[in-house]
PDB file of all heavy atoms in Angstrom:
ATOM      1  N   GLY A  22       7.909  -9.130 -22.267  1.00 98.00           N
ATOM      2  CA  GLY A  22       8.504  -9.201 -20.933  1.00 98.00           C
ATOM      3  C   GLY A  22       9.249  -7.945 -20.539  1.00 98.00           C
ATOM      4  O   GLY A  22      10.193  -8.013 -19.746  1.00 98.00           O
ATOM      5  N   THR A  23       8.804  -6.797 -21.046  1.00 98.00           N
ATOM      6  CA  THR A  23       9.482  -5.525 -20.792  1.00 98.00           C
ATOM      7  C   THR A  23       8.618  -4.638 -19.914  1.00 98.00           C
ATOM      8  O   THR A  23       7.415  -4.466 -20.168  1.00 98.00           O
ATOM      9  CB  THR A  23       9.796  -4.808 -22.111  1.00 98.00           C
ATOM     10  OG1 THR A  23      10.617  -5.653 -22.919  1.00 98.00           O
ATOM     11  CG2 THR A  23      10.529  -3.495 -21.863  1.00 98.00           C
ATOM     12  N   SER A  24       9.230  -4.074 -18.869  1.00 98.00           N
ATOM     13  CA  SER A  24       8.557  -3.149 -17.961  1.00 98.00           C
ATOM     14  C   SER A  24       8.899  -1.718 -18.360  1.00 98.00           C
ATOM     15  O   SER A  24      10.073  -1.375 -18.526  1.00 98.00           O
ATOM     16  CB  SER A  24       9.002  -3.408 -16.519  1.00 98.00           C
ATOM     17  OG  SER A  24       8.499  -2.418 -15.645  1.00 98.00           O
ATOM     18  N   HIS A  25       7.858  -0.897 -18.512  1.00 97.00           N
ATOM     19  CA  HIS A  25       8.060   0.497 -18.914  1.00 97.00           C
ATOM     20  C   HIS A  25       7.697   1.416 -17.748  1.00 97.00           C
ATOM     21  O   HIS A  25       6.726   1.175 -17.038  1.00 97.00           O
ATOM     22  CB  HIS A  25       7.203   0.821 -20.135  1.00 97.00           C
ATOM     23  CG  HIS A  25       7.488  -0.053 -21.316  1.00 97.00           C
ATOM     24  ND1 HIS A  25       8.477   0.222 -22.233  1.00 97.00           N
ATOM     25  CD2 HIS A  25       6.906  -1.214 -21.728  1.00 97.00           C
ATOM     26  CE1 HIS A  25       8.498  -0.725 -23.165  1.00 97.00           C
ATOM     27  NE2 HIS A  25       7.556  -1.606 -22.874  1.00 97.00           N
ATOM     28  N   GLY A  26       8.451   2.444 -17.549  1.00 95.00           N
ATOM     29  CA  GLY A  26       8.171   3.383 -16.487  1.00 95.00           C
ATOM     30  C   GLY A  26       9.136   3.236 -15.332  1.00 95.00           C
ATOM     31  O   GLY A  26       9.953   2.304 -15.277  1.00 95.00           O
ATOM     32  N   PRO A  27       9.038   4.110 -14.356  1.00 97.00           N
ATOM     33  CA  PRO A  27      10.019   4.127 -13.261  1.00 97.00           C
ATOM     34  C   PRO A  27       9.797   3.042 -12.206  1.00 97.00           C
ATOM     35  O   PRO A  27      10.714   2.746 -11.439  1.00 97.00           O
ATOM     36  CB  PRO A  27       9.820   5.514 -12.652  1.00 97.00           C
ATOM     37  CG  PRO A  27       8.394   5.874 -12.956  1.00 97.00           C
ATOM     38  CD  PRO A  27       8.106   5.261 -14.288  1.00 97.00           C
ATOM     39  N   VAL A  28       8.593   2.460 -12.133  1.00 98.00           N
ATOM     40  CA  VAL A  28       8.286   1.510 -11.069  1.00 98.00           C
ATOM     41  C   VAL A  28       7.826   0.182 -11.673  1.00 98.00           C
ATOM     42  O   VAL A  28       7.012   0.156 -12.604  1.00 98.00           O
ATOM     43  CB  VAL A  28       7.198   2.062 -10.130  1.00 98.00           C
ATOM     44  CG1 VAL A  28       6.826   1.035  -9.063  1.00 98.00           C
ATOM     45  CG2 VAL A  28       7.656   3.360  -9.484  1.00 98.00           C
ATOM     46  N   ALA A  29       8.361  -0.917 -11.148  1.00 98.00           N
ATOM     47  CA  ALA A  29       7.919  -2.254 -11.540  1.00 98.00           C
ATOM     48  C   ALA A  29       6.860  -2.733 -10.559  1.00 98.00           C
ATOM     49  O   ALA A  29       6.931  -2.451  -9.353  1.00 98.00           O
ATOM     50  CB  ALA A  29       9.087  -3.223 -11.556  1.00 98.00           C
ATOM     51  N   VAL A  30       5.874  -3.491 -11.065  1.00 98.00           N
ATOM     52  CA  VAL A  30       4.775  -3.976 -10.239  1.00 98.00           C
ATOM     53  C   VAL A  30       4.630  -5.484 -10.441  1.00 98.00           C
ATOM     54  O   VAL A  30       4.570  -5.972 -11.573  1.00 98.00           O
ATOM     55  CB  VAL A  30       3.455  -3.271 -10.595  1.00 98.00           C
ATOM     56  CG1 VAL A  30       2.321  -3.796  -9.708  1.00 98.00           C
ATOM     57  CG2 VAL A  30       3.591  -1.760 -10.460  1.00 98.00           C
ATOM     58  N   LEU A  31       4.570  -6.216  -9.338  1.00 98.00           N
ATOM     59  CA  LEU A  31       4.371  -7.659  -9.371  1.00 98.00           C
ATOM     60  C   LEU A  31       3.184  -8.029  -8.495  1.00 98.00           C
ATOM     61  O   LEU A  31       3.177  -7.734  -7.293  1.00 98.00           O
ATOM     62  CB  LEU A  31       5.623  -8.388  -8.857  1.00 98.00           C
ATOM     63  CG  LEU A  31       5.465  -9.888  -8.577  1.00 98.00           C
ATOM     64  CD1 LEU A  31       5.210 -10.656  -9.869  1.00 98.00           C
ATOM     65  CD2 LEU A  31       6.693 -10.444  -7.846  1.00 98.00           C
ATOM     66  N   ALA A  32       2.168  -8.653  -9.086  1.00 98.00           N
ATOM     67  CA  ALA A  32       1.091  -9.265  -8.308  1.00 98.00           C
ATOM     68  C   ALA A  32       1.517 -10.703  -8.033  1.00 98.00           C
ATOM     69  O   ALA A  32       1.689 -11.498  -8.958  1.00 98.00           O
ATOM     70  CB  ALA A  32      -0.219  -9.214  -9.071  1.00 98.00           C
ATOM     71  N   LEU A  33       1.715 -11.039  -6.768  1.00 98.00           N
ATOM     72  CA  LEU A  33       2.256 -12.331  -6.362  1.00 98.00           C
ATOM     73  C   LEU A  33       1.204 -13.106  -5.571  1.00 98.00           C
ATOM     74  O   LEU A  33       0.620 -12.576  -4.620  1.00 98.00           O
ATOM     75  CB  LEU A  33       3.507 -12.129  -5.503  1.00 98.00           C
ATOM     76  CG  LEU A  33       4.135 -13.383  -4.889  1.00 98.00           C
ATOM     77  CD1 LEU A  33       4.760 -14.246  -5.979  1.00 98.00           C
ATOM     78  CD2 LEU A  33       5.173 -12.995  -3.824  1.00 98.00           C
ATOM     79  N   THR A  34       0.977 -14.354  -5.967  1.00 98.00           N
ATOM     80  CA  THR A  34       0.104 -15.247  -5.205  1.00 98.00           C
ATOM     81  C   THR A  34       0.946 -16.384  -4.644  1.00 98.00           C
ATOM     82  O   THR A  34       1.656 -17.061  -5.394  1.00 98.00           O
ATOM     83  CB  THR A  34      -1.023 -15.821  -6.072  1.00 98.00           C
ATOM     84  OG1 THR A  34      -1.811 -14.747  -6.602  1.00 98.00           O
ATOM     85  CG2 THR A  34      -1.910 -16.745  -5.263  1.00 98.00           C
ATOM     86  N   VAL A  35       0.875 -16.568  -3.337  1.00 98.00           N
ATOM     87  CA  VAL A  35       1.593 -17.651  -2.675  1.00 98.00           C
ATOM     88  C   VAL A  35       0.555 -18.658  -2.185  1.00 98.00           C
ATOM     89  O   VAL A  35      -0.343 -18.316  -1.414  1.00 98.00           O
ATOM     90  CB  VAL A  35       2.436 -17.142  -1.492  1.00 98.00           C
ATOM     91  CG1 VAL A  35       3.247 -18.286  -0.891  1.00 98.00           C
ATOM     92  CG2 VAL A  35       3.350 -16.001  -1.933  1.00 98.00           C
ATOM     93  N   GLY A  36       0.663 -19.885  -2.649  1.00 98.00           N
ATOM     94  CA  GLY A  36      -0.272 -20.926  -2.244  1.00 98.00           C
ATOM     95  C   GLY A  36       0.425 -22.269  -2.216  1.00 98.00           C
ATOM     96  O   GLY A  36       1.638 -22.352  -2.010  1.00 98.00           O
ATOM     97  N   HIS A  37      -0.327 -23.334  -2.411  1.00 98.00           N
ATOM     98  CA  HIS A  37       0.216 -24.686  -2.395  1.00 98.00           C
ATOM     99  C   HIS A  37      -0.270 -25.432  -3.630  1.00 98.00           C
ATOM    100  O   HIS A  37      -1.279 -25.071  -4.231  1.00 98.00           O
ATOM    101  CB  HIS A  37      -0.231 -25.441  -1.133  1.00 98.00           C
ATOM    102  CG  HIS A  37       0.204 -24.813   0.145  1.00 98.00           C
ATOM    103  ND1 HIS A  37      -0.461 -23.734   0.701  1.00 98.00           N
ATOM    104  CD2 HIS A  37       1.249 -25.093   0.977  1.00 98.00           C
ATOM    105  CE1 HIS A  37       0.148 -23.383   1.833  1.00 98.00           C
ATOM    106  NE2 HIS A  37       1.181 -24.191   2.026  1.00 98.00           N
ATOM    107  N   GLN A  38       0.464 -26.482  -3.987  1.00 98.00           N
ATOM    108  CA  GLN A  38       0.007 -27.288  -5.114  1.00 98.00           C
ATOM    109  C   GLN A  38      -1.402 -27.796  -4.822  1.00 98.00           C
ATOM    110  O   GLN A  38      -1.729 -28.171  -3.690  1.00 98.00           O
ATOM    111  CB  GLN A  38       0.960 -28.444  -5.396  1.00 98.00           C
ATOM    112  CG  GLN A  38       0.930 -29.567  -4.387  1.00 98.00           C
ATOM    113  CD  GLN A  38       1.467 -30.883  -4.930  1.00 98.00           C
ATOM    114  OE1 GLN A  38       1.521 -31.118  -6.131  1.00 98.00           O
ATOM    115  NE2 GLN A  38       1.889 -31.754  -4.023  1.00 98.00           N
ATOM    116  N   SER A  39      -2.242 -27.819  -5.878  1.00 97.00           N
ATOM    117  CA  SER A  39      -3.616 -28.266  -5.692  1.00 97.00           C
ATOM    118  C   SER A  39      -4.125 -28.890  -6.985  1.00 97.00           C
ATOM    119  O   SER A  39      -3.610 -28.623  -8.075  1.00 97.00           O
ATOM    120  CB  SER A  39      -4.524 -27.105  -5.274  1.00 97.00           C
ATOM    121  OG  SER A  39      -4.609 -26.140  -6.312  1.00 97.00           O
ATOM    122  N   TYR A  40      -5.167 -29.717  -6.837  1.00 94.00           N
ATOM    123  CA  TYR A  40      -5.770 -30.435  -7.955  1.00 94.00           C
ATOM    124  C   TYR A  40      -7.281 -30.378  -7.804  1.00 94.00           C
ATOM    125  O   TYR A  40      -7.834 -30.939  -6.864  1.00 94.00           O
ATOM    126  CB  TYR A  40      -5.275 -31.885  -7.984  1.00 94.00           C
ATOM    127  CG  TYR A  40      -3.770 -31.952  -8.101  1.00 94.00           C
ATOM    128  CD1 TYR A  40      -2.969 -31.921  -6.954  1.00 94.00           C
ATOM    129  CD2 TYR A  40      -3.145 -31.992  -9.336  1.00 94.00           C
ATOM    130  CE1 TYR A  40      -1.587 -31.934  -7.048  1.00 94.00           C
ATOM    131  CE2 TYR A  40      -1.766 -32.009  -9.439  1.00 94.00           C
ATOM    132  CZ  TYR A  40      -0.990 -31.980  -8.293  1.00 94.00           C
ATOM    133  OH  TYR A  40       0.385 -31.981  -8.389  1.00 94.00           O
ATOM    134  N   ASN A  41      -7.923 -29.641  -8.701  1.00 92.00           N
ATOM    135  CA  ASN A  41      -9.373 -29.444  -8.621  1.00 92.00           C
ATOM    136  C   ASN A  41      -9.795 -28.945  -7.243  1.00 92.00           C
ATOM    137  O   ASN A  41     -10.823 -29.361  -6.696  1.00 92.00           O
ATOM    138  CB  ASN A  41     -10.108 -30.742  -8.969  1.00 92.00           C
ATOM    139  CG  ASN A  41      -9.871 -31.163 -10.404  1.00 92.00           C
ATOM    140  OD1 ASN A  41      -9.928 -30.344 -11.313  1.00 92.00           O
ATOM    141  ND2 ASN A  41      -9.571 -32.429 -10.619  1.00 92.00           N
ATOM    142  N   GLY A  42      -8.984 -28.077  -6.682  1.00 94.00           N
ATOM    143  CA  GLY A  42      -9.287 -27.473  -5.392  1.00 94.00           C
ATOM    144  C   GLY A  42      -8.807 -28.256  -4.192  1.00 94.00           C
ATOM    145  O   GLY A  42      -8.827 -27.732  -3.061  1.00 94.00           O
ATOM    146  N   ALA A  43      -8.367 -29.500  -4.367  1.00 96.00           N
ATOM    147  CA  ALA A  43      -7.866 -30.302  -3.245  1.00 96.00           C
ATOM    148  C   ALA A  43      -6.403 -29.963  -2.983  1.00 96.00           C
ATOM    149  O   ALA A  43      -5.610 -29.831  -3.910  1.00 96.00           O
ATOM    150  CB  ALA A  43      -8.013 -31.786  -3.542  1.00 96.00           C
ATOM    151  N   GLY A  44      -6.051 -29.843  -1.718  1.00 97.00           N
ATOM    152  CA  GLY A  44      -4.685 -29.508  -1.333  1.00 97.00           C
ATOM    153  C   GLY A  44      -4.679 -28.591  -0.133  1.00 97.00           C
ATOM    154  O   GLY A  44      -5.736 -28.176   0.371  1.00 97.00           O
ATOM    155  N   SER A  45      -3.508 -28.275   0.336  1.00 98.00           N
ATOM    156  CA  SER A  45      -3.378 -27.459   1.544  1.00 98.00           C
ATOM    157  C   SER A  45      -3.835 -26.021   1.312  1.00 98.00           C
ATOM    158  O   SER A  45      -3.573 -25.433   0.257  1.00 98.00           O
ATOM    159  CB  SER A  45      -1.915 -27.451   2.003  1.00 98.00           C
ATOM    160  OG  SER A  45      -1.748 -26.537   3.076  1.00 98.00           O
ATOM    161  N   ASN A  46      -4.500 -25.474   2.317  1.00 97.00           N
ATOM    162  CA  ASN A  46      -4.855 -24.056   2.343  1.00 97.00           C
ATOM    163  C   ASN A  46      -4.220 -23.369   3.547  1.00 97.00           C
ATOM    164  O   ASN A  46      -4.757 -22.388   4.067  1.00 97.00           O
ATOM    165  CB  ASN A  46      -6.373 -23.882   2.390  1.00 97.00           C
ATOM    166  CG  ASN A  46      -7.031 -24.235   1.067  1.00 97.00           C
ATOM    167  OD1 ASN A  46      -6.607 -23.754   0.021  1.00 97.00           O
ATOM    168  ND2 ASN A  46      -8.054 -25.074   1.116  1.00 97.00           N
ATOM    169  N   ALA A  47      -3.089 -23.882   3.994  1.00 98.00           N
ATOM    170  CA  ALA A  47      -2.420 -23.303   5.157  1.00 98.00           C
ATOM    171  C   ALA A  47      -2.099 -21.832   4.924  1.00 98.00           C
ATOM    172  O   ALA A  47      -1.733 -21.422   3.813  1.00 98.00           O
ATOM    173  CB  ALA A  47      -1.141 -24.080   5.449  1.00 98.00           C
ATOM    174  N   ALA A  48      -2.233 -21.070   5.977  1.00 98.00           N
ATOM    175  CA  ALA A  48      -2.003 -19.633   5.879  1.00 98.00           C
ATOM    176  C   ALA A  48      -0.541 -19.328   5.565  1.00 98.00           C
ATOM    177  O   ALA A  48       0.372 -20.029   6.012  1.00 98.00           O
ATOM    178  CB  ALA A  48      -2.407 -18.955   7.188  1.00 98.00           C
ATOM    179  N   ILE A  49      -0.337 -18.271   4.790  1.00 98.00           N
ATOM    180  CA  ILE A  49       1.012 -17.781   4.496  1.00 98.00           C
ATOM    181  C   ILE A  49       1.407 -16.834   5.626  1.00 98.00           C
ATOM    182  O   ILE A  49       0.698 -15.865   5.923  1.00 98.00           O
ATOM    183  CB  ILE A  49       1.058 -17.067   3.134  1.00 98.00           C
ATOM    184  CG1 ILE A  49       0.503 -18.000   2.040  1.00 98.00           C
ATOM    185  CG2 ILE A  49       2.465 -16.614   2.813  1.00 98.00           C
ATOM    186  CD1 ILE A  49       1.209 -19.340   1.954  1.00 98.00           C
ATOM    187  N   THR A  50       2.521 -17.116   6.274  1.00 98.00           N
ATOM    188  CA  THR A  50       2.911 -16.360   7.470  1.00 98.00           C
ATOM    189  C   THR A  50       3.955 -15.294   7.208  1.00 98.00           C
ATOM    190  O   THR A  50       4.114 -14.377   8.016  1.00 98.00           O
ATOM    191  CB  THR A  50       3.444 -17.333   8.537  1.00 98.00           C
ATOM    192  OG1 THR A  50       4.511 -18.109   7.971  1.00 98.00           O
ATOM    193  CG2 THR A  50       2.334 -18.263   9.006  1.00 98.00           C
ATOM    194  N   ALA A  51       4.687 -15.393   6.110  1.00 97.00           N
ATOM    195  CA  ALA A  51       5.703 -14.386   5.805  1.00 97.00           C
ATOM    196  C   ALA A  51       6.027 -14.453   4.323  1.00 97.00           C
ATOM    197  O   ALA A  51       5.896 -15.505   3.687  1.00 97.00           O
ATOM    198  CB  ALA A  51       6.974 -14.609   6.627  1.00 97.00           C
ATOM    199  N   GLU A  52       6.441 -13.343   3.765  1.00 97.00           N
ATOM    200  CA  GLU A  52       6.825 -13.281   2.363  1.00 97.00           C
ATOM    201  C   GLU A  52       7.761 -12.097   2.157  1.00 97.00           C
ATOM    202  O   GLU A  52       7.771 -11.135   2.939  1.00 97.00           O
ATOM    203  CB  GLU A  52       5.600 -13.155   1.450  1.00 97.00           C
ATOM    204  CG  GLU A  52       4.945 -11.798   1.419  1.00 97.00           C
ATOM    205  CD  GLU A  52       4.340 -11.377   2.750  1.00 97.00           C
ATOM    206  OE1 GLU A  52       3.727 -12.236   3.408  1.00 97.00           O
ATOM    207  OE2 GLU A  52       4.487 -10.200   3.127  1.00 97.00           O
ATOM    208  N   SER A  53       8.583 -12.172   1.141  1.00 98.00           N
ATOM    209  CA  SER A  53       9.457 -11.053   0.790  1.00 98.00           C
ATOM    210  C   SER A  53       9.776 -11.127  -0.692  1.00 98.00           C
ATOM    211  O   SER A  53       9.779 -12.199  -1.298  1.00 98.00           O
ATOM    212  CB  SER A  53      10.754 -11.082   1.607  1.00 98.00           C
ATOM    213  OG  SER A  53      11.587 -12.153   1.195  1.00 98.00           O
ATOM    214  N   VAL A  54      10.028  -9.969  -1.273  1.00 98.00           N
ATOM    215  CA  VAL A  54      10.455  -9.851  -2.667  1.00 98.00           C
ATOM    216  C   VAL A  54      11.650  -8.925  -2.699  1.00 98.00           C
ATOM    217  O   VAL A  54      11.625  -7.843  -2.091  1.00 98.00           O
ATOM    218  CB  VAL A  54       9.328  -9.303  -3.567  1.00 98.00           C
ATOM    219  CG1 VAL A  54       9.817  -9.149  -5.007  1.00 98.00           C
ATOM    220  CG2 VAL A  54       8.103 -10.206  -3.512  1.00 98.00           C
ATOM    221  N   SER A  55      12.695  -9.333  -3.392  1.00 98.00           N
ATOM    222  CA  SER A  55      13.902  -8.515  -3.521  1.00 98.00           C
ATOM    223  C   SER A  55      14.313  -8.457  -4.976  1.00 98.00           C
ATOM    224  O   SER A  55      14.014  -9.365  -5.770  1.00 98.00           O
ATOM    225  CB  SER A  55      15.055  -9.085  -2.685  1.00 98.00           C
ATOM    226  OG  SER A  55      14.697  -9.212  -1.328  1.00 98.00           O
ATOM    227  N   VAL A  56      15.024  -7.398  -5.330  1.00 98.00           N
ATOM    228  CA  VAL A  56      15.492  -7.213  -6.697  1.00 98.00           C
ATOM    229  C   VAL A  56      16.991  -6.946  -6.686  1.00 98.00           C
ATOM    230  O   VAL A  56      17.511  -6.316  -5.763  1.00 98.00           O
ATOM    231  CB  VAL A  56      14.726  -6.059  -7.392  1.00 98.00           C
ATOM    232  CG1 VAL A  56      14.935  -4.743  -6.655  1.00 98.00           C
ATOM    233  CG2 VAL A  56      15.137  -5.920  -8.851  1.00 98.00           C
ATOM    234  N   SER A  57      17.694  -7.460  -7.681  1.00 98.00           N
ATOM    235  CA  SER A  57      19.140  -7.242  -7.812  1.00 98.00           C
ATOM    236  C   SER A  57      19.443  -6.714  -9.201  1.00 98.00           C
ATOM    237  O   SER A  57      18.950  -7.253 -10.209  1.00 98.00           O
ATOM    238  CB  SER A  57      19.907  -8.547  -7.579  1.00 98.00           C
ATOM    239  OG  SER A  57      21.288  -8.363  -7.821  1.00 98.00           O
ATOM    240  N   TYR A  58      20.261  -5.679  -9.251  1.00 97.00           N
ATOM    241  CA  TYR A  58      20.682  -5.100 -10.526  1.00 97.00           C
ATOM    242  C   TYR A  58      22.122  -5.468 -10.871  1.00 97.00           C
ATOM    243  O   TYR A  58      22.657  -5.007 -11.877  1.00 97.00           O
ATOM    244  CB  TYR A  58      20.529  -3.578 -10.483  1.00 97.00           C
ATOM    245  CG  TYR A  58      19.118  -3.134 -10.165  1.00 97.00           C
ATOM    246  CD1 TYR A  58      18.776  -2.695  -8.887  1.00 97.00           C
ATOM    247  CD2 TYR A  58      18.116  -3.169 -11.135  1.00 97.00           C
ATOM    248  CE1 TYR A  58      17.486  -2.300  -8.584  1.00 97.00           C
ATOM    249  CE2 TYR A  58      16.825  -2.770 -10.845  1.00 97.00           C
ATOM    250  CZ  TYR A  58      16.512  -2.343  -9.564  1.00 97.00           C
ATOM    251  OH  TYR A  58      15.230  -1.954  -9.269  1.00 97.00           O
ATOM    252  N   ASP A  59      22.764  -6.306 -10.022  1.00 97.00           N
ATOM    253  CA  ASP A  59      24.162  -6.671 -10.262  1.00 97.00           C
ATOM    254  C   ASP A  59      24.339  -8.191 -10.240  1.00 97.00           C
ATOM    255  O   ASP A  59      25.297  -8.712  -9.688  1.00 97.00           O
ATOM    256  CB  ASP A  59      25.075  -5.999  -9.237  1.00 97.00           C
ATOM    257  CG  ASP A  59      24.660  -6.274  -7.791  1.00 97.00           C
ATOM    258  OD1 ASP A  59      23.777  -7.140  -7.578  1.00 97.00           O
ATOM    259  OD2 ASP A  59      25.211  -5.633  -6.876  1.00 97.00           O
ATOM    260  N   LYS A  60      23.363  -8.901 -10.839  1.00 97.00           N
ATOM    261  CA  LYS A  60      23.428 -10.354 -10.997  1.00 97.00           C
ATOM    262  C   LYS A  60      23.514 -11.099  -9.661  1.00 97.00           C
ATOM    263  O   LYS A  60      24.228 -12.086  -9.518  1.00 97.00           O
ATOM    264  CB  LYS A  60      24.592 -10.754 -11.912  1.00 97.00           C
ATOM    265  CG  LYS A  60      24.513 -10.137 -13.303  1.00 97.00           C
ATOM    266  CD  LYS A  60      25.615 -10.637 -14.204  1.00 97.00           C
ATOM    267  CE  LYS A  60      25.557  -9.968 -15.570  1.00 97.00           C
ATOM    268  NZ  LYS A  60      24.267 -10.172 -16.275  1.00 97.00           N
ATOM    269  N   GLY A  61      22.777 -10.596  -8.673  1.00 97.00           N
ATOM    270  CA  GLY A  61      22.659 -11.299  -7.408  1.00 97.00           C
ATOM    271  C   GLY A  61      23.728 -10.995  -6.383  1.00 97.00           C
ATOM    272  O   GLY A  61      23.738 -11.620  -5.307  1.00 97.00           O
ATOM    273  N   VAL A  62      24.594 -10.039  -6.659  1.00 97.00           N
ATOM    274  CA  VAL A  62      25.624  -9.686  -5.669  1.00 97.00           C
ATOM    275  C   VAL A  62      24.989  -8.958  -4.494  1.00 97.00           C
ATOM    276  O   VAL A  62      25.257  -9.269  -3.323  1.00 97.00           O
ATOM    277  CB  VAL A  62      26.726  -8.836  -6.321  1.00 97.00           C
ATOM    278  CG1 VAL A  62      27.750  -8.395  -5.271  1.00 97.00           C
ATOM    279  CG2 VAL A  62      27.410  -9.601  -7.448  1.00 97.00           C
ATOM    280  N   THR A  63      24.139  -7.980  -4.785  1.00 98.00           N
ATOM    281  CA  THR A  63      23.424  -7.261  -3.735  1.00 98.00           C
ATOM    282  C   THR A  63      21.935  -7.272  -4.061  1.00 98.00           C
ATOM    283  O   THR A  63      21.529  -7.344  -5.228  1.00 98.00           O
ATOM    284  CB  THR A  63      23.911  -5.801  -3.619  1.00 98.00           C
ATOM    285  OG1 THR A  63      23.697  -5.127  -4.874  1.00 98.00           O
ATOM    286  CG2 THR A  63      25.386  -5.748  -3.261  1.00 98.00           C
TER     287      THR A  63
END
């Protein structure tokens, strides 16, 4: 679980719970990723 180098990379998939392909396929309209180095203060 260790990242090496100056840049971290995350491949993120946003979807819905599904079972054998059944479930919602509603479009994702917005997303954001943020990082904190001070335990969530900023």
Side-chain angles (χ1 to χ4, degrees):
T23 301
S24 172
H25 302 274
V28 177
V30 180
L31 169 66
L33 175 69
T34 301
V35 184
H37 300 80
Q38 72 159 339
S39 65
Y40 302 87
N41 296 315
S45 173
N46 288 310
I49 306 304
T50 55
E52 75 296 319
S53 71
V54 178
S55 304
V56 61
S57 175
Y58 303 102
D59 54 10
K60 302 184 182 302
V62 176
T63 60

